[in-house]
Amino acid sequence: MGPRAAHGRVRRAPPALFTAATPSDMTLRVRFAPSPTGFLHVGGARTALFNWLEARREGGTFILRVEDTDQARSSPEMTRAILDGMRWLGLDWDEGPYFQSEGIDRHRSQALELLEKGLAYRDFVSPEALAAIREEDPDRALRHPRRQAEALGEEESRARAEAGEPFAIRFRVPDGVVEWNDRVHGETRFDTREIEDLVILRADSTPTYNMAVVSDDGAMRVTLVMRGDDHISNTPKQILLHRALGQPVPEFAHLPMILGPDGKRLSKRHGATSVESYEGEGILPEAMVNFLALLGWSAGDDEQIFTREELVRAFSLDRVLKKSAVFDQTKLEWLNGRHLTARSPESLRPELLARFGPEREVAEARLDQDPEGARLLITLLRDRARTLNDLATQSRIYLLDTFEYDEKATGKHWFRDPEMALGHLQALHNGLAEVDWTEEALEARVRAIADARGVGAGKVIHPLRVALTGQMASPGIFEVLVILGRERALQRLDGAMERIRKGKQTIPES
Ligand code: GLU
């Protein structure tokens, strides 16, 4: 079975002149090849993830190659940030990181090899002169360097080079059609008459992107090149270069573009899109992985929640969509909430404490003091939170002794009728001073107090919640009482009553 049949696509005639195909018995080797000119952003992370998933599913090799040839724009800090981002996402690589700059001698010598074989030529036309022609007549510019080289002749060309005149080396694009069976887009063809003779070695002797990538993909025996579809126009050039160098041509898969909510290509304009910034927002790595997987891929049913292991099993390039994916922050937070719920309170504890800042020790001591209560607290907040940052913010109310009162909450549940609120809180203070401190006993007692005061339970629970948490909403009030413990609950009731007494003259009726 040929590779096309293996991917469920129909073999189609007529065959193109320059095709890409990989023997299907070859072990999969994929690579992620970021340029360290910025942080690991959503698009790059998605490419890395899909390569990683394909490698893990197929038992193949995932190679990390840092394309640092643009020395002016690359930096070791960015390389570190990209590697950190991948580690955070759990995308472990099997080989590398290789650095493209280390292969520069090989890139150069392969460019010279093409020159020697007559598959490339010296171009003495200055970039300025070519730009001027392009401005005037783009069609003429396309083959201008080739015509100039032919007019010059090999002998003259060599003589000028030897005399020290600067020249670039251009690959002579052969006439014909380049076709490949893209693993996402299916049969894809380019007429080579539209492709310029690309520079492979610049006048300063540095290799170009296409030369370096083809040389590296060959040297690293890459069998499948999976990358963003902004690279699709490079692919025919790269296939031709592989052929010219006598290398096996890898397969290609071009992943759909990622758009921002406004339908434009996702970029910095849409806010922070680096993986690092999501870590800072309190997104879990497993949620980020889940979210990235759904950018351009679907399992085919409505299933949205996947663990890393489930993704490895479910992922398939056949289900990568051709159309662009839209980045949806609300969905990311929703997925994060779901993954938070799947986490044990023990595993969330360090994440929570890491977000406490200077009050970390106080919070830690409180968690240690009552391990059972700590577990209950983290569980309750976890199920309501969307991010780790939410979780940490909410837990401050319970773990620290100072907390803010939400004015809306105090306005509504205390100051509409301060006398009534004071009466309820005083009765609660009296009633809770002696009662078994369990959820059941507390609930029975609070309901009895409400009965005795001739109101529904809600009427006493609302001011109580504001007294205990400062908030309009919280986990169940009896659980909140259990978490705080008797002493702190009574203190908070005292504090609330004092506030009401002080504030009732100054807060206008609303
Ligand atoms: N370094 C290129 C980029 O970051 C990737 C090249 C490739 O995957 O072929 O866009």
Side-chain angles (χ1 to χ4, degrees):
M1 215 189 341
R4 284 181 205 164
H7 302 134
R9 292 201 183 93
V10 186
R11 190 181 283 275
R12 256 206 348 208
L17 259 176
F18 309 100
T19 55
T22 305
S24 54
D25 57 353
M26 220 138 128
T27 330
L28 181 79
R29 289 176 65 83
V30 290
R31 84 307 194 269
F32 174 52
S35 303
T37 53
F39 291 99
L40 181 62
H41 55 89
V42 169
R46 194 269 316 255
T47 298
L49 172 65
F50 282 24
N51 275 286
W52 181 86
L53 286 170
E54 187 67 3
R56 292 293 167 266
R57 191 178 64 97
E58 292 273 315
T61 303
F62 178 49
I63 303 165
L64 175 60
R65 180 171 81 221
V66 179
E67 303 209 318
D68 59 342
T69 38
D70 185 347
Q71 296 285 351
R73 291 176 60 224
S74 304
S75 76
E77 290 72 39
M78 287 301 126
T79 298
R80 202 169 315 122
I82 291 171
L83 267 53
D84 284 349
M86 292 187 58
R87 287 193 195 97
W88 181 68
L89 291 170
L91 305 181
D92 53 333
W93 50 93
D94 308 307
E95 284 185 23
Y98 297 121
F99 290 86
Q100 190 154 60
S101 56
E102 288 165 0
I104 201 158
D105 290 341
R106 171 171 31 78
H107 309 152
R108 231 174 245 147
S109 72
Q110 286 188 306
L112 292 170
E113 178 191 325
L114 293 175
L115 177 66
E116 259 144 52
K117 284 189 186 158
L119 300 173
Y121 57 86
R122 293 182 200 89
D123 171 20
F124 294 96
V125 180
S126 74
E128 296 75 27
L130 186 59
I133 299 173
R134 190 173 290 128
E135 181 100 331
E136 220 174 82
D137 183 353
D139 287 343
R140 189 160 75 86
L142 198 67
R143 292 287 176 253
H144 179 74
R146 189 194 295 193
R147 277 194 296 271
Q148 291 298 105
E150 280 165 2
L152 202 58
E154 175 55 24
E155 219 167 288
E156 177 72 17
S157 163
R158 194 179 294 269
R160 282 171 73 169
E162 275 163 15
E165 196 175 324
F167 62 89
I169 297 181
R170 280 189 191 265
F171 176 65
R172 184 182 287 110
V173 170
D175 285 345
V177 171
V178 183
E179 185 187 70
W180 74 94
N181 189 2
D182 197 279
R183 296 282 302 272
V184 175
H185 296 272
E187 294 293 342
T188 308
R189 341 172 91 219
F190 275 81
D191 186 332
T192 64
R193 280 175 303 187
E194 291 156 18
I195 303 173
E196 68 165 0
D197 288 347
L198 53 143
V199 172
I200 50 177
L201 201 66
R202 298 185 190 91
D204 65 1
S205 193
T206 56
T208 56
Y209 157 74
N210 280 305
M211 183 67 234
V213 164
V214 169
S215 175
D216 286 355
D217 284 341
M220 292 167 195
R221 293 175 288 113
V222 168
T223 62
L224 167 64
V225 171
M226 197 192 304
R227 57 188 172 193
D229 64 9
D230 50 328
H231 280 290
I232 208 155
S233 63
N234 284 317
T235 299
K237 301 175 189 170
Q238 295 182 7
I239 290 173
L240 291 171
L241 281 176
H242 280 295
R243 293 260 163 215
L245 288 165
Q247 297 178 166
V249 182
E251 284 192 288
F252 290 87
H254 290 93
L255 306 175
M257 214 194 292
I258 303 172
L259 307 178
D262 57 356
K264 303 232 170 73
R265 188 181 201 100
L266 191 67
S267 74
K268 289 200 189 94
R269 276 178 303 130
H270 296 102
T273 58
S274 73
V275 163
E276 210 166 73
S277 65
Y278 297 109
E279 184 181 3
E281 281 176 23
I283 300 291
L284 293 167
E286 60 267 37
M288 195 73 208
V289 162
N290 189 161
F291 176 73
L292 291 169
L294 299 176
L295 286 175
W297 172 82
S298 97
D301 45 30
D302 283 340
E303 191 50 53
Q304 301 277 307
I305 311 293
F306 295 90
T307 64
R308 203 185 306 268
E309 295 69 33
E310 286 164 348
L311 282 173
V312 169
R313 280 196 296 274
F315 185 75
S316 146
L317 274 173
D318 294 342
R319 304 212 72 98
V320 172
L321 310 168
K322 292 190 187 77
K323 69 171 186 353
S324 310
V326 178
F327 183 93
D328 177 353
Q329 175 83 19
T330 314
K331 181 169 177 181
L332 172 60
E333 287 176 15
W334 172 75
L335 281 171
N336 200 51
R338 297 287 305 262
H339 281 276
L340 270 173
T341 307
R343 279 284 199 104
S344 71
E346 287 72 23
S347 82
L348 291 172
R349 192 189 134 117
E351 305 276 9
L352 184 109
L353 288 172
R355 286 167 171 78
F356 256 84
E359 287 123 333
R360 184 193 164 111
E361 268 176 40
V362 182
E364 194 163 11
R366 202 140 248 160
L367 289 174
D368 287 341
Q369 208 178 1
D370 176 11
E372 214 27 67
R375 201 165 302 125
L376 178 62
L377 172 68
I378 298 177
T379 307
L380 291 173
L381 296 182
R382 174 194 75 183
D383 295 346
R384 303 168 63 89
R386 294 226 145 187
T387 65
L388 288 168
N389 294 4
D390 266 5
L391 179 65
T393 307
Q394 284 299 314
S395 72
R396 298 178 76 85
I397 296 170
Y398 305 91
L399 297 176
L400 304 179
D401 286 322
T402 49
F403 59 95
E404 305 270 314
Y405 294 87
D406 171 8
E407 273 187 25
K408 264 210 203 116
T410 54
K412 180 163 179 199
H413 296 303
W414 290 355
F415 292 116
R416 274 216 187 133
D417 188 345
E419 287 306 329
M420 173 85 87
L422 266 178
H424 291 336
L425 294 180
Q426 187 60 60
L428 285 162
H429 195 284
N430 298 343
L432 298 181
E434 289 161 47
V435 60
D436 262 2
W437 209 256
T438 64
E439 266 179 61
E440 299 72 36
L442 284 163
E443 176 164 5
R445 179 61 56 94
V446 169
R447 291 193 186 283
I449 291 169
D451 274 353
R453 296 187 56 80
V455 294
K459 289 276 182 242
V460 301
I461 287 172
H462 289 310
L464 174 62
R465 171 171 288 118
V466 181
L468 298 178
T469 69
Q471 306 291 306
M472 197 83 94
S474 76
I477 197 70
F478 309 113
E479 287 159 323
V480 168
L481 282 164
V482 167
I483 285 164
L484 286 172
R486 188 191 318 264
E487 196 184 329
R488 295 173 74 213
L490 293 179
Q491 269 167 13
R492 288 186 183 198
L493 280 167
D494 282 332
M497 289 189 284
E498 203 181 311
R499 267 173 188 267
I500 296 173
R501 279 187 208 106
K502 272 196 202 140
K504 66 181 176 184
Q505 283 95 3
T506 54
I507 307 259
E509 295 280 315
S510 63

